[in-house]
């Protein structure tokens, strides 16, 4: 059985793969996106997430990363979703609708991720001090608090 990677590792691996995407996406991209959409519609969010990850790795296109991040939210993996949304926000050439969507969804991921981290005042999750998989990184936590404070809702 496969273990779930830590959020930063998971997203950084995906971004490395996408950086190697060919300039012209391969023919299987359309089939991959169709399969991802079908898996999402069927409620198989794990399969949809893997397929959207693959679509992003094949194309490097932000909509595929946004879809992948959405699946992570549906799978209750808000910290890795937040990392992906934050990445979109760092892209200077991202269309404004992508950035607006990523900012809104980052706030949602924040609301999902923060309760797990708020209750503990210790810095580790046991021997080795690795912490929990869902705990966001320090800089992400600060960004999440900032976004939450500016959220009008």
């Amino acid at each position: 059985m496969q273990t779930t990677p830590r959020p930063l590792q998971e997203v950084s691996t995906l971004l490395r793969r996408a950086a190697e995407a060919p300039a012209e996406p391969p023919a299987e991209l359309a089939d991959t996106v169709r399969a991802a959409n079908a898996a999402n519609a069927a409620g198989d969010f794990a399969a949809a997430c893997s397929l959207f990850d693959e679509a992003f790795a094949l194309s490097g296109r932000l909509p595929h990363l946004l879809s992948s991040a959405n699946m992570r939210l549906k799978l209750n993996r808000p910290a890795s979703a937040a990392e992906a949304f934050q990445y979109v926000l760092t892209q200077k050439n991202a269309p404004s609708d992508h950035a607006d969507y990523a900012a809104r969804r980052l706030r949602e991921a924040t609301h999902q991720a923060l309760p797990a981290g708020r209750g503990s005042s210790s810095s580790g999750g046991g021997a080795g001090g690795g912490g929990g998989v869902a705990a966001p990184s320090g800089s992400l936590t600060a960004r999440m608090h900032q976004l939450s404070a500016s959220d009008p809702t």
Side-chain angles (χ1 to χ4, degrees), residues 20-83:
E20 298 170 2
E24 186 66 31
E28 70 260 22
L29 176 62
D31 290 337
T32 302
V33 172
R34 273 192 289 279
N37 287 326
N40 181 31
D44 188 351
F45 305 129
C49 185
S50 292
L51 289 161
F52 281 125
D53 282 354
E54 186 61 27
F56 180 64
L58 290 170
S59 71
R61 294 178 182 164
L62 292 179
H64 300 141
L65 180 61
L66 290 169
S67 294
S68 171
N70 283 332
M71 295 306 106
R72 286 174 168 76
L73 281 179
K74 290 179 179 184
L75 292 166
N76 197 31
R77 291 167 33 202
S80 63
E83 292 291 342

Side-chain angles (χ1 to χ4, degrees), residues 5-43:
R6 291 177 175 251
L8 286 173
Q9 176 188 12
E10 181 178 7
V11 174
S12 65
T13 299
L14 182 57
L15 295 175
R16 271 195 307 278
R17 286 185 62 209
E20 298 170 2
E24 186 66 31
E28 70 260 22
L29 176 62
D31 290 337
T32 302
V33 172
R34 273 192 289 279
N37 287 326
N40 181 31

Side-chain angles (χ1 to χ4, degrees), residues 3 17 27 65 92 109 112 142 152:
T3 61
R17 286 185 62 209
L65 180 61
K92 293 184 183 349
Q112 282 185 19

